[in-house]
C-alpha cells in the first residue's frame, strides 16, 4: 500500500495556525489601542461627548430599568416631557455587546463594548482580505488598517452607536466577497445577519451605505466578470438584503415608528447636511497634524496600498475598491463635489448629515487595497521580473517621500523608524524569495505600532464614568422636593459631564430636553419655540442651541406649559434674570448648581372645562406662545373630540391627583364639576392608550404636543398605558425570521445547497 499523502493536512494545519496567530495579533492590537485611550483619560482637551452625554447614560438607565422589572424600557419619562426609549432607534440596547452593562461594572462594560467593536472590525477586515485572495500576513495588514485607521480611532472615541455599525461593515463585505466566489445559502444568510447586526447599534446611516456598496459590488461583478450563474447569485443576494431587516425586526419596526414622528423623517437641505466643511485641499493639513477626524491619510497603509497596482491576481476587486474609495472620498467633500447633487437624488441620499462620513467607506476600501497590495508586494519574488520587483520598493518609497514633503512637520521620530523598517522589509521580500514570511512579519509589526501605539493621542479621550454622578446630592435634593406634578428645566454647560441633558435620568428627575437625534418633530418645534421665542426653521436650531438654553428670547408661556416648576442651572449658564415674566426666586445654591422655582408653572396633569380647535399646528403654537390662552381653563386641540363636545367656560374647581406614575403606566384620580378634559403635559405618541373608568377613551393631541382626554362630570379614574404594537410585532418578526433561517439552513444542508 502506498503511503498516505498528508500534504493537504499539513497545509490545513498551517492555515489554521496562521489564522489563530492573526486573530491573537488583532485582539492584542485592540487591547493596545484601548490601553492608549485609558492612559489618555487624564489628557486635557475634549472628552468623548457623545459617549458620556448619550450612549453611556443610556446603557446605565437601561440596566437600572431591568433591575426594576423592565419599567422604563419602552418609555423614557425623564427627557423631553416623555419619549420612547427602546423605540428610539439610536439607543443600541438590542446590540449584543451592549448587554455587558447587565453583568459588568459600568466602566469595565464600556471598555468591553469598545473592545468588541474594535475586534469585530479588525477580524472582519482580516476575513475580507482572505476572501480577496490575500495570505494571512497580507490580510492581517488589512485588518489592522481598517479597525485602527484614523476613522476607526475617531469612531471608537465618538460613540459605540456608530463604531458598532462601522465594525460590522467589514464583516458584511467579507461575506459579500465570499458569496461572489461561492454562491451558498449559508453565506447569504450570514451576510443578512451581519447587516442586521450593523443595524442594531442604532446608527442607520451605515446600513444605507452598506446596501449601496453591496449593490455596486454585485453590479461590478455582473458587468465585469459575467458569472455563469448570475440568476442564482442575484437570488442569494436578495435573500441577504431581504433577511437583514427581518432579523432586526425587533429593533427596526419600533425605530421606523419613531423615525416617522422625528425631525429626521424627511430629506435634509444641503445646509442641514453639511457640517464638517471638508475640502480636498485640507487633507494635507489634516495629515500634518496627524488628526484622525476627516483625515483619510495614514502613513504606512498608504505605502502598502500602492502595491495593489502591481497585483497580477484580484484585478477586478482591486479596481472596484480603488474606484469606490476615490468616489467616497469625493462624496466626503459634500457640496464641494460636482457629483454630490446626483447622490442626493438617490433613495435616502439626502437623509443624513455630515458627508464627511463617506470617509468610512474610504477606510474600508483602503483596508482592502492594503490586503491586496501587501499580498502583491510579498509575492513579487516568485511572480515578477527584477524590474517589477524594483517597482515594489520604488512605489512605496515614492509615496513615503510624497507624504514627507507634503507635511509641514515631516515624519515624527517614531514614524521615521517605521518607514525605514517597512521599506527594508519590502526590499528584503523583493531580493530574497525565502524571506517573504519574515518581511511580512516586519510589515505587520510596523503597521501595528503605527496604528495603535506610536500614534498621537486621539482627538477625544475617555474619562472616569463616576464623574457623571458628581452632583448626586444636588439631584437627590431636587428629587425629594418635586412631586409627580412637577418637572425640572435643566440648564447644562457644555461639556461639563457632571450636569448634562441626561443627568436627570440617572437620578430619576424628569427634565424638559434631551440630546437625541430622533426627537419627535412636534417636540422639536415646541422646544425650539420655547427656547428661542421663534418657530423652528431648520433642525440645526435644535441640534446646535446657539445662545444656550436660557437666551433672552425664551418663551415663558411655553415653558410654563411643560410643568417646569424648577430650573436647575449650571452657574456658568445662569441667565435666569433675563427671562421675561415674574422673577423666579432662588431657593437653593451650592455644589455648583442653582435651583430656581417657577411659580407660574402649570401642573403636569390638570382638569380644564373647555377646548378650542385650532386646526393649523403652527397657528396653534403661535397662540400658546402669545400667552393669551389660560392653561387652567382652556386646552387647544387640532381637531374636535369624537363627541364634538368642547365643554363650557362656566365650570371651575376641578382637581387631578396622581395615583400611579410609572413610565409606561400613569393613573389619575379626577374630580370634575362638569364634563371637560384632563390635560397631561406628557408627549403624545403612537402606542399610548387611555381609559376613563375602565372604558377606552380617545387621546387628543393637546397644546401641539401633549395629551388630553375627555372626562365626564364627577369622579373619574383616567389611565394611560404605553403598549406599542410595533415592539411586539418587531420581536415576533425577528423570531420568525430566525426560525425560518434555521429551517432553510437545515433543508439546504440536506440538499447540499
Amino acid at each position: 500500500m502506498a503511503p498516505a499523502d498528508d500534504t493537504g493536512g499539513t497545509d490545513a494545519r498551517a492555515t489554521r495556525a496562521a489564522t489563530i496567530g492573526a486573530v491573537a495579533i488583532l485582539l492584542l492590537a485592540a487591547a493596545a489601542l484601548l490601553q492608549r485611550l485609558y492612559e489618555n483619560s487624564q489628557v486635557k482637551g475634549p472628552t468623548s461627548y457623545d459617549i458620556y452625554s448619550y450612549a453611556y447614560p443610556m446603557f446605565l438607565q437601561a440596566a437600572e430599568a431591568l433591575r426594576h422589572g423592565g419599567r422604563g424600557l419602552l418609555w423614557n419619562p425623564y427627557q423631553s416631557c416623555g419619549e420612547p426609549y427602546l423605540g428610539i432607534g439610536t439607543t443600541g440596547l438590542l446590540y449584543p455587546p451592549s448587554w455587558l452593562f447587565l453583568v459588568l461594572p459600568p466602566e469595565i462594560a464600556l471598555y468591553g463594548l469598545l473592545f468588541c467593536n474594535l475586534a469585530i472590525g479588525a477580524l472582519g477586515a482580516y476575513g475580507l482580505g482572505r476572501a480577496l485572495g490575500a495570505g494571512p500576513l497580507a490580510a492581517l495588514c488589512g485588518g489592522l488598517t481598517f479597525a485602527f485607521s484614523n476613522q476607526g480611532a475617531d469612531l471608537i472615541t465618538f460613540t459605540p452607536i456608530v463604531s458598532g455599525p462601522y465594525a460590522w461593515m467589514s464583516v458584511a463585505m467579507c461575506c459579500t466577497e465570499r458569496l461572489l466566489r461561492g454562491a451558498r445559502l449559508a453565506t447569504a444568510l450570514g451576510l443578512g445577519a451581519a447587516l442586521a447586526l450593523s443595524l442594531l447599534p442604532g446608527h442607520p446611516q451605515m446600513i444605507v451605505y452598506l446596501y449601496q456598496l453591496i449593490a455596486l459590488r454585485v453590479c461590478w461583478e455582473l458587468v465585469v466578470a459575467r458569472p455563469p450563474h448570475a440568476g442564482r447569485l442575484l437570488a442569494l443576494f436578495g435573500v441577504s438584503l431581504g433577511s437583514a431587516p427581518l432579523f432586526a425586526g425587533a429593533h427596526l419596526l419600533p425605530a421606523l415608528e419613531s423615525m416617522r414622528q422625528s425631525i429626521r423623517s424627511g430629506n435634509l437641505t444641503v445646509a442641514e447636511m453639511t457640517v464638517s466643511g471638508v475640502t480636498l485641499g485640507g487633507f494635507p493639513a489634516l495629515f500634518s497634524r496627524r488628526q484622525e477626524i476627516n483625515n483619510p491619510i495614514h502613513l504606512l497603509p498608504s505605502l502598502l496600498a500602492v502595491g495593489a497596482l502591481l497585483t497580477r491576481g484580484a484585478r477586478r476587486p482591486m479596481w472596484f475598491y480603488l474606484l469606490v474609495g476615490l468616489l467616497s472620498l469625493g462624496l466626503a467633500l459634500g457640496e464641494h463635489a460636482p457629483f454630490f447633487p446626483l447622490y442626493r437624488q438617490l433613495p435616502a441620499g439626502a437623509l443624513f448629515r455630515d458627508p464627511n462620513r463617506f470617509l468610512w467607506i474610504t477606510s474600508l476600501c483602503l483596508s482592502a487595497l492594503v490586503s491586496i497590495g501587501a499580498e502583491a508586494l510579498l509575492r513579487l519574488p516568485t511572480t515578477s521580473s527584477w524590474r517589477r520587483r524594483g517597482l515594489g520598493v520604488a512605489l512605496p518609497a515614492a509615496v513615503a517621500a510624497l507624504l514627507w514633503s507634503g507635511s509641514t512637520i515631516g515624519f515624527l521620530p517614531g514614524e521615521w523608524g517605521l518607514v525605514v523598517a517597512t521599506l527594508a522589509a519590502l526590499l528584503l521580500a523583493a531580493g530574497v524569495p525565502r524571506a517573504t514570511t519574515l518581511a511580512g512579519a516586519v510589515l505587520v509589526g510596523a503597521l501595528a505600532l503605527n496604528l495603535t501605539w506610536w500614534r498621537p493621542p486621539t482627538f477625544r479621550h475617555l474619562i472616569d464614568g463616576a464623574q457623571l454622578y458628581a452632583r448626586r446630592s444636588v439631584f437627590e435634593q431636587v428629587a425629594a422636593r418635586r412631586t409627580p406634578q412637577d418637572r425640572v428645566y435643566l440648564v447644562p454647560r457644555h461639556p461639563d459631564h457632571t450636569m448634562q441633558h441626561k443627568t436627570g435620568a440617572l437620578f430619576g428627575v424628569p427634565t424638559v430636553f434631551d440630546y437625541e437625534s430622533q426627537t419627535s418633530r412636534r417636540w422639536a418645534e415646541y422646544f425650539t419655540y420655547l427656547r428661542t421665542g421663534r418657530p423652528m426653521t431648520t433642525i440645526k436650531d435644535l441640534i446646535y442651541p446657539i445662545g444656550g438654553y436660557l437666551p433672552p428670547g425664551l418663551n415663558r408661556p411655553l415653558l410654563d406649559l411643560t410643568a417646569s416648576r424648577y430650573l436647575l442651572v449650571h452657574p456658568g449658564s445662569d441667565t435666569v434674570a433675563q427671562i421675561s415674566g415674574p422673577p423666579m426666586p432662588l431657593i437653593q445654591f451650592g455644589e455648583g448648581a442653582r435651583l430656581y422655582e417657577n411659580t407660574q408653572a402649570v401642573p403636569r396633569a390638570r382638569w380644564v372645562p373647555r377646548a378650542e380647535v385650532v386646526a393649523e399646528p403652527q397657528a396653534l403654537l403661535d397662540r400658546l406662545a402669545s400667552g393669551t390662552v389660560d392653561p387652567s381653563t382652556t386646552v387647544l386641540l387640532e381637531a374636535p373630540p369624537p363627541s364634538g363636545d368642547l365643554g363650557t367656560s362656566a365650570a371651575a374647581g376641578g382637581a387631578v391627583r396622581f395615583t400611579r406614575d410609572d413610565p409606561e403606566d400613569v393613573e389619575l384620580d379626577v374630580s370634575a364639576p362638569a364634563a371637560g378634559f384632563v390635560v397631561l403635559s406628557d408627549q403624545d405618541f403612537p402606542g399610548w392608550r387611555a381609559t376613563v373608568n375602565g372604558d377606552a377613551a380617545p387621546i387628543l393631541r393637546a397644546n401641539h404636543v401633549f395629551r388630553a382626554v375627555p372626562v365626564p362630570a364627577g369622579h373619574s379614574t383616567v389611565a394611560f398605558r404605553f403598549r406599542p404594537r410595533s415592539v411586539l410585532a418587531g420581536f415576533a418578526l425577528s423570531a420568525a425570521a430566525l426560525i425560518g433561517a434555521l429551517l432553510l439552513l437545515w433543508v439546504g444542508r440536506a440538499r447540499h445547497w
Side-chain angles (χ1 to χ4, degrees):
M1 179 182 294
D5 185 0
D6 64 347
T7 303
T10 302
D11 291 343
R13 286 193 295 272
T15 300
R16 190 180 306 114
T19 300
I20 293 173
V23 169
I25 289 172
L26 292 173
L27 295 180
L28 286 173
L33 182 58
L34 286 176
Q35 175 66 23
R36 290 297 309 279
L37 296 179
Y38 178 78
E39 291 178 350
N40 292 341
S41 63
Q42 303 303 318
V43 174
K44 291 183 178 180
T47 58
S48 179
Y49 187 75
D50 282 73
I51 286 181
Y52 295 105
S53 290
Y54 192 89
Y56 193 66
M58 276 283 196
F59 298 141
L60 295 177
Q61 189 176 345
E64 185 68 18
L66 284 172
R67 282 191 284 269
H68 288 82
R71 291 170 40 239
L73 278 180
L74 297 182
W75 186 258
N76 175 14
Y78 301 113
Q79 265 91 40
S80 300
C81 293
E83 62 186 3
Y85 194 69
L86 181 64
I88 284 185
T90 47
T91 57
L93 299 183
L94 297 181
Y95 182 49
S98 301
W99 303 345
L100 291 172
F101 281 85
L102 301 179
V103 295
L104 296 175
E107 202 70 10
I108 297 176
L110 174 63
Y111 278 90
L113 173 58
L114 300 182
F115 177 82
C116 285
N117 288 341
L118 283 172
I120 290 166
L123 295 173
Y126 171 79
L128 173 60
R130 296 289 282 155
L132 291 170
L137 289 172
L140 188 52
C141 291
L144 289 167
T145 296
F146 177 75
F148 310 105
S149 65
N150 285 326
Q151 278 63 54
D154 171 28
L155 293 183
I156 208 65
T157 57
F158 177 27
T159 169
I161 292 166
V162 181
S163 64
Y166 177 82
W168 284 98
M169 181 167 61
S170 65
V171 180
M173 291 311 296
C174 171
C175 294
T176 297
E177 293 295 342
R178 292 189 180 278
L179 190 54
L180 289 172
R181 281 151 184 75
R184 297 183 61 83
L185 178 62
T187 309
L189 291 174
L191 173 56
L195 292 170
L197 286 165
S198 175
L199 185 61
L200 290 182
H203 194 73
Q205 189 169 3
M206 189 67 73
I207 199 74
V208 173
Y209 288 172
L210 266 174
Y211 269 64
Q212 294 171 347
L213 185 60
I214 291 170
L216 285 174
R217 182 67 184 94
V218 173
C219 291
W220 178 274
E221 193 74 9
L222 293 177
V223 172
V224 176
R226 298 182 181 179
H229 304 294
R232 174 179 171 81
L233 194 64
L234 286 174
L236 287 174
F237 271 104
V239 170
S240 300
L241 301 182
S243 63
L246 302 181
F247 290 149
H251 162 92
L252 188 59
L253 289 189
L256 288 175
E257 184 173 60
S258 293
M259 186 175 179
R260 283 194 297 270
Q261 308 293 324
S262 80
I263 57 172
R264 306 301 301 276
S265 59
N267 289 337
L268 304 177
T269 66
V270 173
E272 288 174 326
M273 291 179 69
T274 304
V275 176
S276 61
V278 175
T279 61
L280 190 61
F283 288 145
L286 293 173
F287 173 71
S288 292
R289 297 194 298 269
R290 301 302 190 268
Q291 184 172 329
E292 73 269 10
I293 299 177
N294 300 336
N295 175 23
I297 306 170
H298 219 306
L299 183 57
L300 294 193
S302 302
L303 272 60
L304 297 181
V306 73
L309 298 174
L310 301 175
T311 185
R312 291 181 181 271
R315 298 292 293 179
R316 292 193 305 272
M318 185 276 289
W319 283 111
F320 171 79
Y321 285 105
L322 177 60
L323 293 175
V324 170
L326 293 174
L327 175 64
S328 58
L329 184 64
L331 287 172
L333 303 177
E335 58 185 325
H336 303 293
F339 42 84
F340 186 70
L342 296 177
Y343 180 83
R344 293 189 74 249
Q345 303 306 312
L346 296 176
L351 200 58
F352 300 105
R353 300 166 54 240
D354 289 347
N356 63 302
R357 292 172 180 175
F358 281 105
L359 292 177
W360 301 342
I361 307 298
T362 305
S363 178
L364 176 71
C365 294
L366 178 62
S367 72
L369 293 173
V370 166
S371 291
I372 296 171
E375 182 68 11
L377 293 170
L378 293 174
R379 282 188 178 181
L380 284 176
T382 58
T383 62
S384 305
S385 63
W386 278 103
R387 181 179 178 182
R388 196 172 181 85
R389 294 189 208 182
L391 283 175
V393 179
L395 285 177
V399 171
L402 181 64
L403 292 176
W404 176 78
S405 62
S407 172
T408 57
I409 62 172
F411 292 157
L412 303 176
E415 291 177 336
W416 270 113
L418 298 177
V419 171
V420 170
T422 299
L423 295 178
L426 295 177
L427 186 62
L428 179 66
V432 185
R434 294 183 178 180
T436 55
T437 300
L438 175 61
V442 172
L443 292 181
V444 168
L447 199 61
L449 289 173
N450 180 215
L451 295 171
T452 61
W453 200 255
W454 284 353
R455 68 180 302 153
T458 54
F459 173 69
R460 289 174 290 262
H461 62 269
L462 304 179
I463 60 174
D464 181 358
Q467 292 186 31
L468 273 64
Y469 294 92
R471 285 186 166 88
R472 177 187 294 274
S473 62
V474 173
F475 282 89
E476 288 179 344
Q477 291 175 42
V478 175
R481 178 184 290 270
R482 61 165 291 274
T483 73
Q485 291 281 24
D486 308 322
R487 283 199 179 91
V488 175
Y489 188 86
L490 187 63
V491 184
R493 184 171 180 81
H494 181 77
D496 187 346
H497 295 289
T498 67
M499 187 173 172
Q500 36 94 350
H501 306 98
K502 291 188 181 294
T503 307
L506 298 178
F507 303 103
V509 175
T511 59
V512 171
F513 181 63
D514 188 19
Y515 180 53
E516 171 55 62
S517 62
Q518 293 292 323
T519 296
S520 72
R521 178 166 292 276
R522 288 282 183 154
W523 180 250
E525 292 168 347
Y526 187 98
F527 182 77
T528 298
Y529 210 143
L530 182 163
R531 188 184 67 83
T532 64
R534 60 171 177 77
M536 185 178 78
T537 57
T538 168
I539 65 170
K540 291 186 176 183
D541 288 337
L542 184 81
I543 297 172
Y544 303 107
I546 305 300
Y549 292 95
L550 289 178
L554 184 138
N555 186 273
R556 185 70 174 269
L558 294 180
L559 174 68
D560 297 340
L561 284 172
T562 63
S564 294
R565 179 77 176 183
Y566 300 102
L567 276 70
L568 186 60
V569 183
H570 191 288
S573 302
D574 191 354
T575 55
V576 171
Q578 299 179 10
I579 299 176
S580 62
M584 299 185 187
L586 177 65
I587 58 175
Q588 186 173 315
F589 176 88
E591 298 195 38
R594 299 170 184 172
L595 184 66
Y596 293 86
E597 184 173 9
N598 177 20
T599 56
Q600 288 190 169
V602 300
R604 177 180 156 214
R606 60 194 182 278
W607 175 84
V608 299
R610 63 186 295 270
E612 291 185 21
V613 176
V614 181
E616 206 283 310
Q618 187 57 56
L620 187 153
L621 196 53
D622 290 338
R623 280 276 309 276
L624 293 174
S626 69
T628 58
V629 178
D630 183 354
S632 66
T633 62
T634 307
V635 60
L636 299 187
L637 309 176
E638 293 175 23
S643 66
D645 185 5
L646 296 177
T648 175
S649 59
V656 178
R657 180 176 60 88
F658 280 85
T659 58
R660 184 175 184 181
D661 188 23
D662 289 339
E664 292 87 7
D665 296 277
V666 176
E667 292 184 1
L668 304 171
D669 184 80
V670 182
S671 295
F677 301 86
V678 165
V679 180
L680 182 66
S681 292
D682 290 6
Q683 267 208 69
D684 182 33
F685 202 85
W688 279 102
R689 293 169 179 79
T691 60
V692 176
N693 297 326
D695 297 325
I699 297 180
L700 312 173
R701 178 171 288 157
N703 293 341
H704 190 75
V705 70
F706 301 123
R707 303 178 221 154
V709 174
V711 294
H715 181 270
S716 300
T717 298
V718 178
F720 293 89
R721 303 279 186 269
F722 187 61
R723 303 293 186 268
R725 294 188 180 95
S726 59
V727 173
L728 181 61
F731 275 94
L733 183 63
S734 291
L738 291 173
I739 293 172
L742 292 174
L743 289 175
L744 276 175
L745 288 174
W746 181 71
V747 173
R749 185 175 182 181
R751 297 185 179 183
H752 304 287
W753 288 356

